[in-house]
Amino acid sequence: MAKFQSLKEAVAENLRDGDTVAFEGFTHLIPHAAAHEVIRQGRKDLTLIRMTPDIIYDQMIGMGLAKKVIFSYAGNPGVGLLRRMRDAIENGWPRAIETVEHSHAAMANAYEAGAAGLPCAVFRGYRGAGLKEVNPAIKSVTCPFTGEELAAVPAHRPDVTFIHAQKANRRGDVLVEGIIGVQKEAVLAAKRAIVTVEEIVDDFEGLHPNLCVLPHWTITSIVHVPGGAHPSYTHGYYDRDNAAYLEWDKISADRDLFTQWMKDNVLAVGSEAFAARVKGM
């Protein structure tokens, strides 16, 4: 049964040092506010999973929270590199990290396998690709029925998954609208799931086909954080802040500038102030 909590309480109760954690959201609904609270609480030695790591993972890596990243495509969308991630990989600053790279197809299948309680995902993929030469977690198996060679990767089973969504009702069900991505599978695959939402309502009305409802029994904690996906967008609530992504490229290019920005805009800012700042934009 989902609990309604503050973001500080939800992170403190559910995320521990050394956990494997996913922060999912594809293009929109990226849980920035939740990631910032994790940074404020100083979690360490995390294994981060994400289908398309962008600036929230750049920030967590740059603050030394991550020991390992399992991912497909890492970049600042529409801009370029994740400079803090690159600095960690190439120079070990602020610490060295292990990287495990997959294709998008492998990541999606690994989440689906985890959601189904399976140990691995089996799919058609990686034929002629070079990733399997540098990622020992990519295996080949032979179909016992057809003899076809297939790719196999370990299932994703996060200790905790964080997502952002439009609404939760009083019972604890969560409504996700627009581009769904792998949020559903990431929640079902996790031991614990924390959802930040724009609104808490009595019930969902005016439902349409382009949505997903996660029932309350799949959710551990719900947190009311308006603007919690900024600078990504939330379908039906606010647009993507393209200027913030462009600005991040300059901020993240310099270690001292990055460190000061994080102190001013994350460490010194709580989730309530985060929501107020976004509302005023």
Side-chain angles (χ1 to χ4, degrees), residues 86-215:
R86 182 169 184 169
D87 201 7
I89 293 169
E90 293 184 347
N91 304 306
W93 193 94
R95 61 174 292 179
I97 59 170
E98 179 184 352
T99 58
V100 179
E101 187 174 1
H102 282 290
S103 67
H104 282 357
M107 292 291 288
N109 277 281
Y111 272 125
E112 189 167 13
L118 297 172
C120 68
V122 178
F123 61 103
R124 290 189 178 97
Y126 291 120
R127 292 178 180 176
L131 270 179
K132 59 185 179 181
E133 305 301 326
V134 296
N135 183 352
I138 300 169
K139 305 292 185 182
S140 295
V141 297
T142 302
C143 175
F145 305 105
T146 66
E148 181 182 4
E149 184 178 302
L150 300 168
V153 296
H156 290 332
R157 298 299 303 271
D159 294 302
V160 187
T161 287
F162 290 86
I163 67 168
H164 187 72
Q166 281 89 350
K167 297 176 183 178
N169 64 24
R170 303 291 177 188
R171 189 172 66 168
D173 305 319
V174 169
L175 175 68
V176 185
E177 296 182 286
I179 300 172
I180 303 299
V182 293
Q183 288 99 309
K184 177 187 72 175
E185 290 80 4
V187 165
L188 295 176
K191 297 175 184 175
R192 301 176 294 280
I194 299 172
V195 185
T196 56
V197 296
E198 295 291 329
E199 290 186 82
I200 297 174
V201 298
D202 291 330
D203 208 348
F204 304 139
E205 297 178 352
L207 298 182
H208 54 83
N210 190 26
L211 56 78
C212 174
V213 175
L214 294 166

Side-chain angles (χ1 to χ4, degrees), residues 8 32-43 59-60 62-65 93 248 255-274 277:
K8 184 175 182 179
H32 282 265
H36 287 175
E37 181 59 34
V38 171
I39 292 170
R40 281 190 290 272
Q41 294 196 20
R43 292 295 182 272
Q59 292 170 1
M60 287 190 284
M63 295 299 286
L65 275 66
W93 193 94
W248 183 252
R255 292 177 182 176
D256 291 337
L257 185 60
F258 160 77
T259 300
Q260 189 60 52
W261 190 94
M262 293 298 292
K263 287 180 180 177
D264 295 341
N265 294 278
V266 177
L267 297 180
V269 178
S271 59
E272 295 82 4
F274 181 96
R277 184 177 64 189

